[in-house]
Structure formats: structure tokens, C-alpha cells
Amino acid sequence: MGREHLTNDEFFTQLANLFEHNRTKGHGSVYLTQKRLTFDSTSTPATLTKVADDPLWDTHPENPLPVLIRASNNRSDKKAGTDRKDIAKIVLSTIVKPDDIDTFYIRYAEACKTGMSSLKKRDRKKGKKDKKKKKVAA
Amino acid sequence: MPYLKTSTEWYEQSSLLLKARPTTTRITSKYTVLKPSASKIKKREKYAAKQAAKPADTSRTSSPPPQSNPTDVTATFILKTYDPVSGTCLQYETTKGAEVGRLINSLGRLGREMAALPEAIDDLSAPQDAGVATPNVDEQGDVKMAGVPVPAAAGTGAGKKKKKGKK
């Protein structure tokens, strides 16, 4: 797992590609994971050392910690009789600094909203029309 | 591995879990698009035929909105909060595209908790609210209201969660 973390900007372009890939394929999954980043290869923070006396040592760190975001697709194998092809797994990851979290998630929401286009659309209008029709018919 | 019924409930439970185990808890969301299998298509066609036949029998003029194409894909969005240490797993599943914005918003708020930042201040969340439709604002209001007492009870909440995990 020696891959580099992407910058936030790169991550968003790659994530858009991942969703686009999913759309052109017509099926498949996109996985998104987020978790606290507790160790950093560049600057090892001494903030998160386990304190033996305090069982809740990790609930109140001194400094805000970055969040690790990962995105991936599902690997698929060629299958006879279907249109499935061999697809390699694409894995992306980025680190969000505590200061950037709010702006990151606003962009993240936009990226996901546009990416997850196959989910059911709002069909409130249809329902209303039907109700009117019902009344007319009655 | 329970599926929670509402996204608000999922958010509240996840928030409590994160407070108890902030370093080990992770949130995985999965967006899946599935092509229906041959048997599923048959089943849908059968159902559509049945539905089409029904109104004629009961002489009802209006039927539910026309059934979607039997070969349509099914797309789902599943959120999962999992803590490997206690084994707690909280899930929420939706098929509605309208919910995505709200769900990512709550992912953001949980992200703040992961980063050990204080809960979102109203000034910060205000511009986000402005972009969302009116019903969502109500819900968010609810969430915020529910979120307020939590920090005070964080200590006890954490204790409870841990006990649960040990069982």
C-alpha cells in the first residue's frame, strides 16, 4: 500500500472520474471511507500516545487531527455470457486538514450529488398529477 | 448489523459511537448500481402485468404512476459506521437521490468529530443550510437541537457505548 495521498483538488477530479467510470459501465459500486488519521509519516505527533491511566485517552486529543478519506471502485472479472470486463481496482485517498474540513465537505457533497445520478429522482410532481386525475375521475 | 430506519437516527447513533471511540471508528459509504438479474426482470414483468390487470377488475381509473422499465438498474447508497474494537456497526440505506446532500452533510459533521473539532458553529453551517430545500432545514434544525445536549452528556454516553460493546 505504498501509494501516495492525493491533494484535495486531485482527489475530487479523480473521484469525478470514478463516478463517471461507474456511469459508463452502467453498474458497479463506489466505496467512500472516512476515518481519523492517527499517525503521519512526515510529522509524528506526540499528541496521541496512549495514556495508561486514562481509558478515554483518545476522546480528548490536544490538537485537532486530520481526517483520511478513501475512495475506490469494485474490481470485476470477465464473466462469460455477460458484458462484464476485467476491471482493475482503483483506489484513491486524501488527507483533509482540520481547517479545510468544512470546505472539503461542501465540495464532497457536490461531487457525490452529481456522481450518484442513478439513485431515484424526486417524483413529487407525478404524485400530484395523479391525485388530480383521481379527483377528476371521481 | 442493524439498519437504522431514519438518517437522523443513524447520525445520532454514529455521533455517540464516534465520541466513545474516535480513533478506531470509520465510516464507509457505498454507492452501488446493480443490473437486475434475468429472474429479477421476469419477476418485475410479472408484477407489472399483475398491476396492469388489477385496475380493470376493480374498475379503478387511476393506478400508481407507471411502473419503471423492468430492466432498470437499482441504485442504493449505504452508510456504515463501524468500530472494529467494540464490533459496533450502524447502517443506513437509501435509494433516494434527494437524500444524498443531507447525508454527506452529516458525514461532514461526523468528520468534524473525527478531527476532534468542536461541533459546527451556526455561522459555519448557515451557508450550507441556505442551499438546501426547506424541509431539509427543518430536519437540520432537529438535528442541531438534538446535538446540543449531547456534548454535556458526552461522558456518560461514552460510558454507555463501551458497556454495550463489551457484551
Side-chain angles (χ1 to χ4, degrees):
Chain A
M1 298 287 274
R3 69 205 142 73
E4 296 279 307
H5 292 297
L6 303 170
T7 63
N8 290 358
D9 288 334
E10 274 176 60
F11 178 79
F12 279 117
T13 48
Q14 294 287 324
L15 183 64
N17 286 348
L18 203 64
F19 276 124
E20 186 57 41
H21 194 75
N22 183 282
R23 201 185 351 257
T24 47
K25 199 167 70 160
H27 60 97
S29 310
V30 174
Y31 294 83
L32 306 162
T33 309
Q34 65 182 56
K35 65 180 301 219
R36 174 184 279 188
L37 187 72
T38 42
F39 80 92
D40 197 349
S41 50
T42 51
S43 63
T44 322
T47 49
L48 266 186
T49 41
K50 210 164 184 169
V51 183
D53 301 338
D54 187 2
L56 299 172
W57 58 276
D58 59 349
T59 55
H60 42 72
E62 287 168 31
N63 299 313
L65 293 148
V67 175
L68 175 67
I69 312 271
R70 289 198 189 111
S72 76
N73 66 346
N74 61 322
R75 199 185 77 111
S76 81
D77 288 327
K78 200 170 181 174
K79 198 177 169 191
T82 62
D83 56 350
R84 267 188 214 182
K85 289 169 196 155
D86 280 325
I87 286 161
K89 187 167 180 168
I90 303 166
V91 190
L92 317 166
S93 62
T94 190
I95 294 167
V96 187
K97 291 188 189 94
D99 307 334
D100 305 338
I101 277 193
D102 291 315
T103 45
F104 180 87
Y105 273 99
I106 291 165
R107 285 184 71 185
Y108 196 47
E110 283 307 310
C112 291
K113 268 191 237 167
T114 49
M116 300 180 186
S117 52
S118 296
L119 290 169
K120 274 185 198 161
K121 309 277 182 315
R122 225 174 255 205
D123 50 3
R124 223 179 257 164
K125 278 181 189 171
K126 268 187 197 167
K128 272 183 189 171
K129 270 183 196 168
D130 273 11
K131 266 186 190 172
K132 271 180 194 170
K133 270 184 198 168
K134 253 186 201 172
K135 274 178 194 170
V136 172
Chain B
M1 273 207 343
Y3 275 97
L4 299 173
K5 286 200 177 107
T6 64
S7 59
T8 330
E9 199 183 344
W10 175 83
Y11 169 73
E12 281 165 7
Q13 293 295 321
S14 302
S15 172
L16 286 175
L17 180 59
L18 261 178
K19 278 190 181 100
R21 299 195 180 267
T23 39
T24 49
T25 302
R26 60 172 173 251
I27 302 174
T28 312
S29 31
K30 179 185 169 196
Y31 164 70
T32 325
V33 182
L34 280 179
K35 276 187 181 169
S37 59
S39 59
K40 186 84 181 171
I41 294 172
K42 255 187 205 166
K43 210 173 171 183
R44 283 182 184 172
E45 275 167 353
K46 226 178 179 179
Y47 179 76
K50 217 177 172 184
Q51 288 295 309
K54 247 187 188 172
D57 296 341
T58 54
S59 73
R60 261 195 210 167
T61 43
S62 68
S63 60
Q67 284 301 307
S68 46
N69 195 359
T71 52
D72 272 355
V73 293
T74 34
T76 49
F77 187 40
I78 299 172
L79 295 163
K80 182 168 84 176
T81 318
Y82 177 59
D83 169 35
V85 176
S86 62
T88 321
C89 183
L90 307 159
Q91 281 180 297
Y92 177 70
E93 182 179 356
T94 185
T95 54
K96 294 188 195 92
E99 265 189 297
V100 172
R102 199 187 319 151
L103 291 172
I104 304 287
N105 205 343
S106 50
L107 278 183
R109 271 178 284 150
L110 293 170
R112 283 186 71 90
E113 285 182 32
M114 279 184 184
L117 287 166
E119 285 197 26
I121 312 155
D122 287 344
D123 297 341
L124 280 171
S125 58
Q128 288 172 27
D129 289 347
V132 194
T134 4
N136 292 358
V137 173
D138 292 348
E139 280 218 22
Q140 282 194 338
D142 280 348
V143 168
K144 265 179 215 152
M145 292 292 273
V148 169
V150 169
T156 54
K160 272 178 197 168
K161 260 270 121 65
K162 291 225 160 150
K163 267 178 207 162
K164 249 187 205 173
K166 273 174 193 166
K167 278 175 198 173

